[in-house]
């Protein structure tokens, strides 16, 4: 069976990829495009480590087929900083210890960014519900939530 | 190297031709949140995936004759963002908003949730309580059936080979009617229903219940529409006595399994408790409407 040729935009750059139908978007990002910032935790939609945006919509890339990315625009963690300048979410996670091992962090940052794009002033409860699909084994979540709230406040101020 | 093929047709006829003409087994794919996991686990080994998300009429939410027609491939998030639908059918939205995380709801469709036929799925009980019908097209034409006639057992539907659920239809909501859905889970988010209950009821001008539908999830092989439970409400003011009878009838209808999430005894008891709670929410909404 021939591989399928797709054209997809990742973080604003267009890529041509040959992929198998049973490769997930997570596989394509990591193994074909070598964008390994997006992490694999469970491959069953439970952990959120693989979160990306597809046409602005937050999804688990382990539950999207690579072939479905044809003609779509994908945002991953690699596109979050502006060159050397970290996104306010990234900076606040660093300053407020919103991460320990860091495996969950790319997914959480993408999910949080997606939330703040839709709702610049979320309550703590809204943040907790929005991030319920992102599991973290290290931090106990509290510092993650505080980092998101601090980033949101900073971004509203600008 | 796999032989799995993928097609994403732009109209229903092309989708049906693909499903009908396929050698080997073909599967409809919507959000893939069940399907991709089942393929990964080799629970199913299809030869062809027919992605229905590019079919426009399956992606739209339209007002029809004062009611709603919701394309079967509309995602959970899309439905939750539709203000008009949310205001009219809050119970359906309560079910849909429980389908996994934001990430999962960004992909998962109501059509897939119903067609996957999990006894614990969260959208079937409120859809069934709402009296929604499904429009199905296939090699033999088009038909409308009640949503409760789709699932026949865990993972099994009444759909014939090549049939696709195209849309769900919700009739115009009568005055003084309201519905609600709740489930019991150990965790508030990202868990599977131990029991789920949808209730839809209509009152007359004096507050007497003149119509009701009660549907239980996760307590039998499919979601159960329980006429005996609905009958306990009809003709009453949905007072304490009626709610006691409702709880008894809901518990009596349960045929649950014993598993790590809940014993038979627990599920049976909780079904009654939850039916009463959900009926009160539906009542409150009916009075305001
Ligand atoms: C982490 C996680 C948590 C979850 N939590 C919940 C939960 O709390 N509650 C809950 O109810 N569900 C939950 N789910 C399951 C839920 O995501 C699915 O049931 C989903 O709604 C299925 O929709 P889909 O569009 O992804 O369907 P798919 O996976 O694409 O399809 C599912 C099945 O339906 C068939 N199908 C799909 N659309 C049609 C159609 N239009 N016509 C005919 N056949 C069709 C497919 O062939 C397949 O057999 C969870 C899933 C994950 C991964
Ligand atoms: S790897 Fe995708 S959700 Fe865990
Ligand atoms: S920081 Fe280790 S999993 Fe979250």
């Amino acid at each position: 069976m021939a591989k399928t040729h797709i054209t997809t935009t990742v973080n604003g750059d267009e890529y041509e990829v040959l992929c198998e139908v049973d490769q997930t978007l997570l596989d394509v990002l990591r193994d074909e495009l070598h964008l390994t910032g997006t992490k694999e935790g469970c491959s069953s939609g439970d952990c959120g480590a693989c979160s990306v945006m597809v046409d602005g919509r937050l999804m688990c890339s382990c539950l999207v087929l690579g072939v479905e990315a044809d003609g779509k625009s994908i945002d991953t963690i690699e596109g979050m900083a502006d060159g050397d300048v970290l996104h306010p979410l990234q900076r606040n996670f660093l300053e407020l210890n919103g991460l320990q091992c860091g495996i969950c962090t790319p997914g959480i940052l993408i999910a949080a960014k997606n939330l703040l794009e839709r709702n610049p002033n979320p309550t703590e409860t809204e943040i907790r519900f929005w991030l319920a699909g992102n599991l973290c084994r290290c931090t106990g979540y509290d510092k993650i939530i505080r980092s998101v709230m601090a980033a949101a406040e900073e971004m509203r101020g600008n | 190297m796999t032989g799995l093929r993928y097609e994403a047709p732009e109209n229903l006829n092309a989708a049906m031709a693909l499903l009908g003409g396929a050698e080997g087994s073909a599967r409809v794919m919507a959000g893939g949140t069940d399907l991709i996991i089942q393929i990964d686990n080799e629970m199913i080994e299809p030869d062809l995936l027919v992605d229905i998300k590019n079919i426009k009429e399956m992606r739209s939410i339209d007002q029809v004759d004062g009611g709603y027609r919701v394309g079967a491939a509309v995602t959970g998030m899309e439905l939750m963002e539709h203000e008009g639908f949310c205001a009219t059918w809050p119970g359906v939205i309560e079910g849909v908003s429980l389908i996994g995380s934001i990430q999962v709801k960004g992909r998962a469709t109501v059509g897939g949730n119903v067609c996957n036929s999990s006894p614990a799925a969260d959208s079937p009980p409120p859809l069934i309580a709402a009296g929604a019908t499904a429009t199905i097209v296939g090699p033999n034409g088009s038909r409308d059936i009640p949503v409760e006639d789709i699932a026949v057992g865990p993972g099994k539907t009444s759909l014939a080979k090549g049939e696709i659920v195209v849309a769900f239809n919700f009739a115009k909501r009568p005055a003084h009617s309201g519905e609600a859905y709740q489930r019991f889970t150990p965790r508030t988010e990202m868990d599977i229903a131990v029991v789920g209950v949808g209730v839809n009821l209509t009152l007359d001008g004096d507050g007497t219940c003149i119509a009701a539908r009660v549907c239980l999830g996760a307590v039998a092989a499919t979601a159960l529409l329980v006429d005996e439970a609905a009958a306990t409400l009809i003709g009453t003011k949905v007072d304490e006595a009626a709610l006691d009878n409702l709880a008894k009838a809901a518990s009596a209808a349960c045929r649950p399994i014993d598993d790590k999430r809940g014993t038979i005894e627990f599920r049976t008891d909780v079904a009654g408790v939850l039916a009463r709670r959900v009926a009160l929410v539906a009542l409150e909404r009916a009075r305001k409407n």
Side-chain angles (χ1 to χ4, degrees):
Chain A
M1 183 77 203
K3 291 191 177 192
T4 307
H5 175 253
I6 63 162
T7 307
T8 182
T9 304
V10 183
N11 303 323
D13 298 329
E14 199 171 284
Y15 291 87
E16 310 265 330
V17 199
L18 287 174
C19 56
E20 306 269 3
V21 173
D22 65 357
Q23 275 183 303
T24 64
L25 175 58
L26 176 64
D27 297 332
V28 170
L29 289 170
R30 291 182 57 87
D31 302 341
E32 308 298 332
L33 302 180
H34 308 295
L35 293 169
T36 54
T38 304
K39 302 303 179 199
E40 175 170 15
C42 62
S43 266
S44 56
D46 292 285
C47 77
C50 65
S51 299
V52 300
M53 286 187 245
V54 178
D55 286 346
R57 195 55 94 177
L58 186 65
M59 295 177 184
C60 296
S61 59
C62 72
L63 292 186
V64 178
L65 297 177
V67 288
E68 290 184 76
D70 190 32
K72 300 272 189 332
S73 174
I74 319 286
D75 286 295
T76 72
I77 188 65
E78 284 87 351
M80 199 149 168
D82 184 6
D84 287 341
V85 182
L86 293 181
H87 186 278
L89 276 163
Q90 293 173 304
R91 196 159 25 71
N92 278 285
F93 268 66
L94 281 175
E95 286 168 5
L96 299 175
N97 299 320
L99 69 152
Q100 288 180 26
C101 81
I103 278 282
C104 68
T105 314
I108 290 186
L109 286 169
I110 289 285
K113 180 164 183 260
N114 189 256
L115 169 63
L116 298 186
E117 281 169 3
R118 301 159 56 103
N119 178 2
N121 194 7
T123 62
E124 176 176 341
T125 306
E126 285 169 335
I127 298 173
R128 285 187 187 272
F129 270 95
W130 192 269
L131 296 181
N134 292 84
L135 302 185
C136 173
R137 299 305 304 261
C138 306
T139 63
Y141 299 101
D142 213 54
K143 290 179 175 172
I144 292 174
I145 307 300
R146 273 190 264 160
S147 305
V148 176
M149 295 192 82
E153 194 180 331
E154 183 185 322
M155 288 163 71
R156 284 196 306 276
N158 290 336
Chain B
M1 197 63 105
T2 76
L4 183 59
R5 268 203 316 142
Y6 169 86
E7 298 285 347
E10 289 186 358
N11 61 64
L12 270 175
N13 284 338
M16 284 191 299
L18 283 162
L19 289 169
E23 288 170 36
S25 68
R27 288 301 274 249
V28 171
M29 170 164 141
T33 60
D34 286 316
L35 203 63
I36 292 175
I37 295 173
Q38 290 163 7
I39 292 171
D40 259 6
N41 295 344
E42 295 176 4
M43 279 164 64
I44 55 170
E45 292 180 56
D47 301 293
L48 171 66
L49 295 180
V50 179
D51 184 342
I52 52 175
K53 292 192 293 296
N54 289 343
I55 302 172
K56 281 204 179 66
E57 65 185 285
M58 294 191 62
R59 293 300 298 269
S60 66
I61 303 170
D62 301 298
Q63 270 192 293
V64 180
D65 301 333
Y68 277 99
R69 176 196 178 279
V70 177
V74 168
T75 66
M77 289 301 280
E78 286 164 354
L79 196 57
M80 288 162 62
E81 287 163 6
H82 194 284
E83 284 175 19
F85 188 88
C86 291
T88 316
W89 295 102
V92 172
I93 291 297
E94 281 162 341
V96 168
S97 49
L98 288 165
I99 302 177
S101 59
I102 303 294
Q103 286 88 332
V104 170
K105 286 185 288 250
R107 287 277 288 175
T109 65
V110 178
N113 197 236
V114 171
C115 293
N116 191 56
S117 287
S118 158
D122 285 303
S123 72
L127 281 168
I128 292 168
T133 62
T135 301
I136 294 169
V137 300
N140 301 321
S142 165
R143 61 197 174 106
D144 278 10
I145 63 168
V147 172
E148 58 268 31
D149 291 349
I150 295 180
V152 294
K156 291 202 179 63
T157 68
S158 61
L159 299 183
K161 187 175 187 295
E163 282 192 323
I164 305 175
V165 176
V166 180
F168 296 101
N169 312 294
F170 298 82
K172 181 174 176 1
R173 192 171 242 321
H176 313 306
S177 64
E179 35 90 69
Y181 173 77
Q182 288 181 17
R183 68 177 187 184
F184 175 84
T185 53
R187 197 177 171 227
T188 51
E189 271 282 287
M190 298 294 288
D191 207 340
I192 298 171
V194 175
V195 179
V197 180
V199 175
N200 183 20
L201 49 82
T202 307
L203 310 174
D204 67 11
D206 298 330
T208 301
C209 177
I210 50 170
R213 287 169 72 88
V214 176
C215 184
L216 309 180
V219 293
T222 65
L224 294 178
L225 178 65
V226 186
D227 291 338
E228 297 77 9
T232 63
L233 300 177
I234 297 168
T236 75
K237 299 254 178 187
V238 194
D239 49 20
E240 277 304 305
L243 290 167
D244 281 346
N245 291 333
L246 168 69
K248 280 188 205 122
S251 290
C254 294
R255 299 192 293 277
I257 55 165
D258 247 325
D259 72 5
K260 62 178 181 196
R261 306 187 161 273
T263 60
I264 291 176
E265 203 186 353
F266 182 74
R267 286 178 200 253
T268 305
D269 193 44
V270 169
V273 175
L274 213 52
R276 161 194 276 278
R277 271 187 211 165
V278 174
L280 282 172
V281 179
L283 179 67
E284 191 62 34
R285 289 178 180 160
R287 283 179 177 156
K288 285 187 188 146
N289 163 30

